[in-house]
């Protein structure tokens, strides 16, 4: 195992041992281990984690700053015209470019490696060739012989386990499933014998109607791309040389010296409130000897959820939708571990039981991946301010609840298994003020935690929050009237922008020219500077364009009040978006920050100009639609921005095709967000106006992290290979996030590179390093721990159908772009067919008729059908191209919970709300109506139905709706009096009104943004949107749910 580049540190035998272990992980992206260093000499520092240079980012800032020529230029005087706003007559006044030969900023800014970087494989799914029509590689990998048992021969390496009571003659206690039986058909036994409650999975299928099956010509082209099926060897040198060490692999709390274990749980009174914002006190350290207890506890965990063992015939059980929102599955872990585990809202895996080998994973035909919401707003977040951040010396993992303490002085990494020393400072627990209990420190008691990063985590001092707004002020933009809303929103929220006394702000407007605004403190009013040379944009007076918000607040307010009126008479129809973005980028380069761009049309002038590509007649065709960018300008500029810590958020307010496929790249690669308001108009579309206002309110005031990077590590043997979301992958696994916001989600795909058969538990850790708006460098760490399993049945039992659907949606977006929409649709369908076929052929003992699914996947066909009908992937003429692209952006950027609500909304009947089953929160009674299937069958004309689609709430009122609801809730005398546009319910003094409003408020409170409520009458244009979401129904171009099930069954039973 000798590898080049292993540092000669860690002289103790154990240290060396662990180091070997680490070196074996070469090639896994989590490690940053020595081998990787050797391969990537230019990025050696990455291996040190965040405490050294981040490649490609800060170094470029220095020259940019020192070369900043602008002040010199602006002082060069005569050629520029500076006019007070009051004198502004229209875009005729011009600042001519000073006679500087060339702008030195440009080359120096562009000299970094970033723009030249090739499309990273992780953002280029094409780089990982897969069989078309399927997401899953390796379909043909032969199942290894005896894969169920391939670690029974290694029980010798588990001395602790063997000293524990053993069950069923199997000394290896890593696998609870073996309790029931040791024979080869145990996965079937498991279902048969362990299914006391399950309906007998038999019965003739309903008559099969003929239907035109979905095209699935590409299915049978499996093509393994990554494959570790051969890797079933154990790690003999590791385990045999140091059995104690290896035994504790996967245990979070191996045995400690007696005195160490029995410490009385401390009270929280010793908590120093100022330094440690640790909410609930430490959790008791129950030193359970996990060896034997792990088994029965896990089993009892299963028996607590007997429905998990059900096998369901979906053709018989028509409604599997739970009455309340679907909860993520609980990993089958010992309760002492599980109670420390990361909240699934933050960190979730598609399979809560990790297959031991890639071969097993391939066999399940389910995608393995993580879904993250790392910067979610949290009510409680323990913050550690101590200067010692304890991390694994080998793989840089942060100490976490799932490491093992060998004794007081040594802990073993749960990702690479290296044994590390406990630093002296860590021996003291600031919570309890007790010395000698490192295992009680908050870092070891919380799967989610934030550290205040010391100076070694910075390459430059934390930059101030910088907000630059870039407004389209062309004729088209003025027509929409959006500037009024945006400027008013900004005025309202100016004091709520996250920041401190250093906050900087600036504004740029553009049409065919670019307009800057000097807001220098002391001016009597803002001054406008126009640059008409859009071929080679320069920045006049840069020091006065981004100004301290506190010092120049009045000027900023002046400008915001004036701006909406300044261009009302403009006749300028051209849009020089590209040059404006270049100018904004130059302005922000020294500091980084957030750029908010408002655009209302296709850019027509200068670099980045685009041509219309959408042909309305071709909308229905799934082929030949332009999902790929027509220019790489926006991506390249985004990469430049990323290198200078600038994120670009795009607000597209356009009634016409604006080529979001191209424009969106500016946000995607710079870690920004995209907002889209089709047909925005201040008068004709009041609902969009309200939506923009609400979303701006959230956007302007939500938490923001600057200069961020995120890395995701996982236990040795697992490997992350594809990332989804808005960011740039800087090195193999370092995501560059110039900004991070609490509403962004991410997903990654993983494979099993080495057999995990000597491991019971694996862990995943995300670490997000960012600069807070207060100028603090912070690290937010989430750690998730999951069990490893060895049978296909267990893999299926632990499947998280929402996470699977979410990850498949991300993969399908990539497939749509790299291949075609129809290919992506086929792949989605085949994902269901393949996994259910695998379940049928490999898990079910007798081949029943019907469509048999494990309980965990009972909603899989429904969710995939919902995805096929989602705007991203639907066929038919409904979606115009930009709307489809936007939906795809949302798939990539939304946290899972909102993605699922968008895809499969929750439907409630609300005209008969009662207090039965209601919940009580703060003396408020909140009705809990059951969730209904998404079918018009569930609607009735005498009722009112609320659909919660995440960012939108739709209340459809039937034509014969009961008078009681009309008058007591809507406050109207009859149906005809319901306003055409109604986005709020009146607060009436009736119990019906109180219940309805309580329920809607409760739904809204559960998300950080404010979903608009649309009240929909039968003849409202919005009714189509409402019905669009009835995913169980047949449409012109899509199967009904039942037809879809029949199709799946046909394919599965082939
Ligand atoms: Zn480690």
């Amino acid at each position: 195992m000798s590898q080049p580049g292993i540092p000669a540190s860690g002289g103790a035998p154990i240290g060396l041992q662990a180091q070997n272990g680490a070196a074996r992980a070469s090639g896994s992206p989590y490690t940053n281990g020595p081998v990787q260093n050797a391969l990537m000499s230019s990025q050696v520092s990455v291996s040190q984690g965040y405490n050294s240079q981040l490649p490609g980012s800060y170094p470029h800032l220095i020259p940019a700053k020192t070369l900043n020529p602008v002040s010199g230029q602006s002082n060069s005087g005569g050629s520029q015209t500076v006019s007070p706003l009051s004198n502004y007559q229209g875009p005729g006044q011009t600042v001519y470019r000073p006679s500087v030969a060339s702008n030195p900023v440009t080359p120096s800014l562009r000299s970094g490696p970033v723009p030249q970087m090739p499309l990273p494989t992780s953002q280029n799914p094409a780089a990982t060739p897969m069989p078309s029509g399927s997401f899953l590689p390796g379909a043909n990998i032969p199942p290894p012989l005896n894969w169920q048992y391939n670690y029974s021969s290694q029980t010798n390496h588990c001395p602790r386990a063997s000293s524990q009571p053993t069950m069923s003659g199997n000394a290896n206690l890593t696998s609870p499933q073996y309790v029931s039986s040791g024979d080869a058909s145990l996965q079937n036994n498991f279902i048969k014998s362990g299914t006391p409650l399950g309906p007998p999975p038999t019965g003739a299928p309903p008559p099969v109607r003929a239907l035109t099956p979905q095209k699935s010509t590409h299915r049978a082209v499996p093509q393994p791309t990554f494959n570790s099926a051969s890797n079933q060897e154990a790690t003999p040198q590791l385990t045999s040389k140091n059995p104690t060490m290896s035994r504790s692999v996967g245990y979070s709390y191996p045995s400690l010296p007696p005195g160490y274990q029995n410490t009385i749980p401390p009270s929280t009174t010793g908590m120093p409130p100022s330094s440690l914002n640790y909410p609930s006190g430490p959790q008791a350290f129950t030193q359970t000897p996990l060896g034997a207890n792990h088994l029965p506890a896990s089993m009892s965990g299963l028996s607590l959820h007997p429905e998990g063992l059900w096998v369901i015939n979906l053709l018989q059980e028509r409604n599997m939708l739970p009455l309340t929102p679907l909860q993520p599955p609980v990993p089958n872990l010992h309760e002492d571990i599980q109670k420390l585990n990361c909240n699934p809202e933050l960190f979730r895996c598609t399979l809560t039981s990790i297959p031991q080998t890639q071969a097993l994973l391939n066999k399940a035909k389910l995608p393995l991946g993580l879904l993250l919401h790392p910067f979610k707003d949290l009510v409680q977040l323990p913050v550690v301010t101590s200067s010692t951040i304890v991390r694994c010396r080998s793989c840089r993992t942060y100490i976490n609840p799932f490491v093992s303490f060998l004794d007081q002085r040594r802990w073993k990494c749960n990702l690479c298994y290296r044994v590390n020393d406990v630093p002296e400072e860590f021996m003291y627990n600031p919570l309890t003020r007790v010395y000698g209990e490192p295992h009680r420190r908050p870092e070891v008691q919380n799967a989610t935690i934030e550290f205040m990063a010391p100076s070694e985590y910075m390459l430059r001092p934390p930059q101030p929050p910088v907000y630059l707004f870039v407004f389209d002020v062309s004729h088209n933009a003025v027509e929409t009237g959006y500037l009024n809303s945006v400027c008013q929103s900004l005025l309202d929220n100016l004091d709520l922008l996250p920041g401190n006394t250093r906050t900087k702000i600036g504004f740029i407007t553009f049409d065919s020219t670019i307009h800057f605004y000097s807001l220098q403190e002391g001016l009597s009013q803002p001054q406008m500077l126009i640059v008409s040379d859009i071929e080679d944009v320069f920045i006049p007076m840069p020091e006065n364009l981004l100004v301290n918000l506190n010092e120049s607040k009045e000027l900023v307010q002046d400008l915001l009040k004036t701006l909406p009126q300044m261009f009302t008479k403009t006749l300028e129809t051209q849009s020089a978006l590209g040059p404006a973005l270049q100018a904004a980028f130059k302005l922000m380069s020294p500091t980084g920050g957030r750029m908010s761009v408002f655009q209302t049309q296709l850019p027509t002038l200068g670099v980045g100009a685009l041509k219309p590509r959408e042909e309305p007649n071709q909308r229905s065709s799934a082929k030949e639609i332009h999902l790929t960018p027509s220019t790489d300008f926006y991506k390249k500029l985004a990469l430049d921005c990323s290198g200078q810590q600038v994120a670009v958020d795009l607000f597209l307010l356009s009634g016409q095709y604006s080529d979001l496929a191209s424009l969106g790249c500016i946000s995607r690669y710079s870690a920004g967000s995209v907002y889209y308001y089709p047909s925005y108009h201040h008068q004709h579309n009041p609902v969009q106006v309200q939506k923009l206002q609400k979303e701006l309110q959230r956007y302007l005031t939500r938490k923001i992290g600057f200069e961020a990077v995120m890395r995701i590590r996982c236990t040795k043997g697992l490997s992350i290979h594809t990332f989804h979301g808005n960011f740039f992958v800087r090195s193999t696994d370092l995501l560059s996030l110039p900004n991070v916001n609490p509403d962004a989600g991410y997903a990654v795909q993983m494979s099993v590179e080495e057999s995990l058969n000597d491991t019971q538990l694996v862990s995943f850790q995300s670490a997000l390093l960012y600069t807070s708006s207060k100028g603090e460098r912070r690290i937010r760490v989430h750690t998730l721990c999951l069990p490893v399993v060895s049978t296909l049945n267990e893999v299926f039992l632990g499947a998280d159908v929402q996470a699977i659907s979410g990850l498949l949606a991300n993969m399908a977006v990539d497939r749509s772009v790299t291949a075609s929409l129809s290919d992506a649709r086929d792949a989605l369908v085949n994902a269901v067919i393949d996994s259910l076929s695998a379940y049928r052929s490999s898990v079910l003992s007798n081949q029943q008729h019907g469509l048999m699914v494990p309980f965990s996947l009972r909603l899989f066909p429904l969710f995939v059908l919902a995805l096929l009908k989602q705007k991203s992937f639907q066929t038919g003429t409904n979606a115009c191209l930009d709307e489809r692209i936007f939906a795809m952006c949302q798939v990539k950027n939304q946290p899972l919970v909102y993605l699922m609500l968008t895809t499969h909304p929750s439907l409630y009947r609300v005209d008969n709300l009662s207090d039965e089953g209601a919940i009580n929160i703060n003396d408020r009674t909140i009705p809990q109506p059951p969730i209904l299937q998404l079918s018009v069958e569930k609607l009735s004309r005498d009722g009112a139905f609320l659909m919660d689609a995440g960012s939108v709430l739709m209340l459809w009122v039937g034509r014969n709706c009961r008078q009681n609801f009309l008058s007591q809730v809507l406050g109207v005398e009859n149906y005809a009096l319901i306003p055409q546009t109604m986005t709020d319910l009146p607060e009436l003094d009736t119990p019906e009104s109180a219940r309805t409003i309580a329920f809607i408020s409760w739904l809204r409170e559960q998300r950080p943004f404010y979903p608009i409520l649309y009240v929909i009458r039968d003849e409202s244009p919005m009714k189509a949107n409402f019905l669009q979401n009835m995913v169980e129904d047949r449409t012109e171009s899509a199967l009904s749910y039942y037809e879809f099930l029949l199709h799946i069954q046909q394919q599965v039973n082939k």
Side-chain angles (χ1 to χ4, degrees), residues 127-412:
T128 310
M130 283 184 282
S132 59
S134 163
F135 295 124
L136 294 166
N140 269 351
I141 293 177
L145 293 177
N146 293 329
W147 49 266
Q148 304 95 320
Y149 303 110
N150 61 0
Y151 55 102
S152 59
S153 64
Q154 285 150 38
T155 51
N156 294 346
H157 306 312
C158 307
R160 267 199 60 206
S162 61
S163 71
Q164 303 285 353
T166 58
M167 307 183 76
S168 300
N170 188 338
N172 185 339
L173 298 180
T174 56
S175 48
Q177 66 281 3
Y178 292 128
V179 177
S180 56
S181 158
D183 81 44
S185 60
L186 86 165
Q187 65 267 55
N188 297 332
N189 291 343
F190 202 39
I191 283 188
K192 283 185 287 185
S193 62
T195 326
L197 300 178
T202 53
V208 178
R209 274 188 281 161
L211 75 152
T212 49
Q214 302 258 342
K215 183 172 74 115
S216 58
T217 49
H218 302 298
R219 300 199 42 214
V221 207
Q223 177 182 340
T225 53
F226 40 80
N227 164 11
S228 57
S230 62
N231 194 346
Q232 296 202 32
E233 67 191 50
T235 52
Q237 71 275 56
L238 186 71
T239 50
S240 60
K241 280 185 191 167
N242 195 333
T244 313
M245 201 177 102
S246 77
R247 187 57 228 137
S248 57
V249 165
Y251 285 154
S252 50
Y253 306 116
S255 66
L256 295 170
Y260 201 60
Q261 302 171 23
N262 299 330
T263 319
I264 299 157
S267 70
T268 56
T269 50
M271 185 167 122
S274 59
S275 66
L276 195 61
N277 171 24
Y278 182 62
S280 58
Q283 309 198 30
F285 182 74
T286 43
Q287 187 61 50
T288 322
L290 291 180
N293 283 359
H294 186 65
L295 250 177
S298 302
M299 292 310 291
S300 69
L302 275 181
S303 64
L304 284 175
H305 307 284
E307 72 274 13
L309 302 175
W310 289 3
V311 180
I312 291 160
N313 182 354
L314 282 182
L315 292 177
Q316 284 188 332
E317 307 283 331
R318 291 290 300 280
N319 183 14
M320 293 312 300
L321 202 62
L323 299 179
T324 54
L326 186 63
Q327 297 302 311
V330 179
N332 186 20
L333 289 167
H334 189 282
E335 60 181 306
D336 290 338
I337 299 177
Q338 179 52 28
K339 74 182 179 192
L340 294 172
N341 223 346
C342 196
N343 185 332
E345 289 177 4
L346 306 173
F347 210 153
R348 222 159 137 173
C349 187
T350 54
L351 305 176
T352 62
S353 294
I354 301 292
Q356 197 174 56
T357 60
Q358 181 68 33
L360 183 56
L361 174 60
N362 291 344
K363 214 172 169 186
K365 309 281 186 189
L366 291 169
L368 178 60
L370 302 168
L371 289 106
L372 293 88
H373 189 179
F375 205 53
K376 183 181 194 297
D377 289 326
L378 296 174
V379 179
Q380 292 190 330
L381 174 67
V383 179
V384 172
T385 54
S386 110
S387 60
T388 306
I389 297 180
V390 179
R391 302 174 64 180
C392 174
R393 284 179 63 186
S394 180
C395 72
R396 308 302 295 156
T397 291
Y398 294 79
I399 198 166
N400 61 74
F402 314 108
V403 304
S404 1
F405 281 93
L406 303 185
D407 53 45
Q408 271 200 348
R409 288 294 183 174
R410 289 178 307 157
W411 64 278
K412 182 165 178 172

Side-chain angles (χ1 to χ4, degrees), residues 102-118:
S102 70
N103 189 341
V105 165
T106 310
S108 76
L109 286 176
R110 299 292 171 77
S111 65
V114 176
Q116 282 79 38
M117 288 180 90

Side-chain angles (χ1 to χ4, degrees), residues 30 392-397 411 413-418 420:
Y30 71 84
C392 174
R393 284 179 63 186
S394 180
C395 72
R396 308 302 295 156
T397 291
W411 64 278
C413 178
N414 52 329
L415 271 68
C416 75
Y417 309 140
R418 168 166 183 147
N420 293 275

